[in-house]
Structure formats: C-alpha cells, structure tokens
Amino acid sequence: MRATAAMRRRVGVVLGITGLTVPLSVALGAPAQAASCTTSTGPYQSKVEKFLGRPVDGRQSAADCKAIKAFQTKHGIRPNIGYAGPITWGVMDLMNKQKAAGKNPNKAGKCPTNKGRIACVDLTRQLSWIQDGRKLVYGPVPVRTGRNGHETRTGAKKIYWRNKNHWSTLYHVPMPYSQFFDGGIAFHAISASVWSPPGSHGCVNMRKADAAKYWSLLKKGDDVHVWGRKPGT
C-alpha cells in the first residue's frame, strides 16, 4: 500500500517529536530486508563446496553462496550470509566425523561394556548411542552438548529422574522426553538443529525422534557414561 501525503506528514510529526531518524518504510511497518549473500571467498571455501556437492574451485559464486546460506539457515549458524568461515566448516567437519562412526561407534572402547544397558555420550564427536554389553541397541545419533562455560560433565552417571513433558523453570523452554542423569543435566529433545552452535547449557540435546526412542529404551537407574571434549570448549 502506498503512503499518502497525509500519512507521510503524520509519520514526520511522530519522528520529529521523538527525535529519531527512521526510514518511512520501517515507520510504516514494511518488512525488513533479508540479509544479503556475500561475494567474499571464505578460508574454507573448497572444503565447504565439496561438502555441499558444489563444483570445487575455491571461489565464491552466487550459487555457492545460496547453498552455503541455506545450510547456515537450516542449522542456526549466524551470520547466515553464505560465507565459508570456520564456524560453518566446523559444523560440516563434525558431521563428517559423525558419519565416519558408522555402526561401530565404540570401536575405541571408551564406553564400558560390562554394565549391561548403558547410554554412551561422546562429547568429542557429539554422538550418543545405547548399548547392552558389546551389542549396539540404538544409534549412534548426533547430539548437542554444553557450550563453553556450560560443559556437560564427564564420568559415570545414572538416570535418576524422568519427565516426559518437562518445562525448564530456569530457561523457560520445553524439554520433552527429559531423562536427568547429573544434577540439572538431561537427555531431552529440542526443536532446533542439534548442530546449531554454540551448544546447550549442559544438557544433551537430541532430535525429537531420537529422544523419544531413548525414552522407550532407558529407565530410572540405567547407566550413562560421558567422556571426551566438545569442540570449541
């Protein structure tokens, strides 16, 4: 809708009173322009191009930027302007390492095999799985653990409380399928991407389907083992 002369005068009066200088389109409630795509070539350009299945030439193009920006938007990477920087490549590199785990995530033997059913959490690869002895029961699945300053604590734990429809009174967010195993730290579902940086406030965030499966496979008293170090912490 076009602004009439009268509307323009009214806006001018309001802005004059408040002493603000605001474009007319903003004052009239027009939608903000979306962040533009960068033309800059990032330091991880070739690696990012390869990950996304783009032609690998190490030079930014409009098509490259569009693909990178879509990846950043999907996984909550900011700024999402299509720049092939360290944060974007860090997420992609982590995905590659998770994929490489295949169906033998405990190849290095870091998770105990003498405790029966146990939920394993590898902070380094941001992976979790459930095993019975040496038998893989479910996973591995990607997780999102504590960010720098809120690191998920390592060691041997046990699930002590479960709440399928938990609500965090500290952060005021839903925590579906919560299974607490260390103070306020729990496995629980999130609606955002589990690859979204920088991480949680200590909990082991999961995709909803994975958190629901963990809920069905684990019970109060089951063992949890956490080790490693989340990248960036």
Side-chain angles (χ1 to χ4, degrees), residues 202-224:
C203 284
V204 178
N205 296 161
M206 311 182 80
R207 297 174 296 191
K208 185 176 181 180
D210 295 330
K213 190 67 175 179
Y214 267 48
W215 180 270
S216 70
L217 292 172
L218 299 173
K219 64 183 186 301
K220 183 178 178 180
D222 278 347
D223 288 289
V224 178

Side-chain angles (χ1 to χ4, degrees), residues 66-199:
K66 183 178 179 181
I68 298 169
K69 183 175 180 178
F71 179 88
Q72 292 168 334
T73 300
K74 181 178 181 180
H75 298 298
I77 299 170
R78 298 289 184 268
N80 58 333
I81 58 173
Y83 184 70
I87 296 177
T88 298
W89 171 243
V91 172
M92 293 177 173
D93 187 45
L94 179 62
M95 288 180 171
N96 283 335
K97 290 174 180 176
Q98 291 172 339
K99 185 177 180 180
K103 288 297 180 181
N104 188 19
N106 200 35
K107 184 178 181 179
K110 296 292 182 70
C111 196
T113 57
N114 61 346
K115 291 181 175 291
R117 181 148 300 189
I118 186 170
C120 309
V121 182
D122 181 347
L123 300 179
T124 304
R125 293 182 293 175
Q126 293 289 279
L127 284 178
S128 183
W129 62 90
I130 297 173
Q131 61 187 44
D132 260 321
R134 296 182 181 276
K135 180 184 176 183
L136 182 64
V137 176
Y138 184 74
V141 298
V143 294
R144 179 177 180 259
T145 65
R147 67 185 69 184
N148 193 36
H150 296 273
E151 292 86 350
T152 305
R153 294 181 288 272
T154 57
K157 323 286 183 180
K158 283 184 182 291
I159 293 174
Y160 67 89
W161 187 59
R162 298 177 0 127
N163 186 343
K164 191 173 184 179
N165 298 299
H166 186 66
W167 175 268
S168 171
T169 55
L170 181 60
Y171 299 109
H172 307 289
V173 294
M175 295 170 55
Y177 302 103
S178 284
Q179 301 190 79
F180 290 85
F181 58 85
D182 184 12
I185 295 176
F187 294 112
H188 71 83
I190 58 170
S191 58
S193 169
V194 293
W195 292 282
S196 174

Side-chain angles (χ1 to χ4, degrees), residues 50-70:
K50 183 178 180 181
F51 181 92
L52 294 173
R54 300 285 309 148
V56 180
D57 60 11
R59 297 190 301 271
Q60 179 78 311
S61 69
D64 287 339
C65 188
K66 183 178 179 181
I68 298 169
K69 183 175 180 178

